[in-house]
Amino acid sequence: QVQLVESGGGLVQTGGSLRLSCTASGRTFSNYAMGWFRQAPGKEREFVAVIRWRGAITTYTDSARGRFTISRDNAKNTVYLQMNSLKPEDTAVYYCAAKRSGATISRVAREYDYWGQGTQVTVSS
């Protein structure tokens, strides 16, 4: 069993930055793929970024590429999402997710096995 806890959300102005953190407890996730998803009111959950358990292989949704960076510190059981040049359309609840089959990466939410509670990110214009 894995519990994921996000932190780092908040209110920022357009063009600002935030760094989200997700820390796992109950089990290490060194062999998991770790992803970030987001969901705005009235919209479906959207893939943001994912990092494979080994090799620093990452992928991003088009709107995040070049602005967001996903990274992980397996020794600390923590994954990060550095968000720069934030826009109002980035406003959403951001969720950390873990996928047990960490050798492959996925953009599909239902393929992930564990989820955090979400942290609110609000970008004002």
Side-chain angles (χ1 to χ4, degrees):
Q1 199 82 336
V2 172
Q3 295 80 46
L4 305 175
V5 179
E6 300 101 332
S7 63
L11 173 65
V12 298
Q13 296 181 359
T14 297
S17 298
L18 286 172
R19 189 179 74 159
L20 306 183
S21 298
C22 172
T23 299
S25 62
R27 181 185 301 174
T28 61
F29 57 33
S30 296
N31 62 334
Y32 294 172
M34 298 295 300
W36 287 96
F37 293 76
R38 64 188 180 189
Q39 188 166 22
K43 297 184 178 180
E44 294 186 351
R45 191 162 297 186
E46 176 191 22
F47 168 79
V48 178
V50 62
I51 185 167
R52 210 174 73 170
W53 67 273
R54 190 179 70 182
I57 296 174
T58 61
T59 193
Y60 300 87
T61 193
D62 288 346
S63 64
R65 190 174 299 109
R67 299 187 298 125
F68 294 4
T69 302
I70 187 170
S71 62
R72 68 189 299 163
D73 186 339
N74 288 344
K76 297 180 178 180
N77 294 325
T78 300
V79 63
Y80 306 95
L81 185 68
Q82 178 68 45
M83 305 186 293
N84 299 325
S85 302
L86 284 162
K87 306 173 182 179
E89 51 262 45
D90 295 316
T91 295
V93 177
Y94 282 70
Y95 296 92
C96 173
K99 178 174 175 288
R100 291 194 299 267
S101 299
T104 59
I105 57 177
S106 175
R107 306 166 77 98
V108 181
R110 66 176 179 269
E111 295 184 6
Y112 287 76
D113 302 290
Y114 305 100
W115 292 84
Q117 82 289 347
T119 185
Q120 177 71 48
V121 172
T122 302
V123 184
S124 62
S125 60

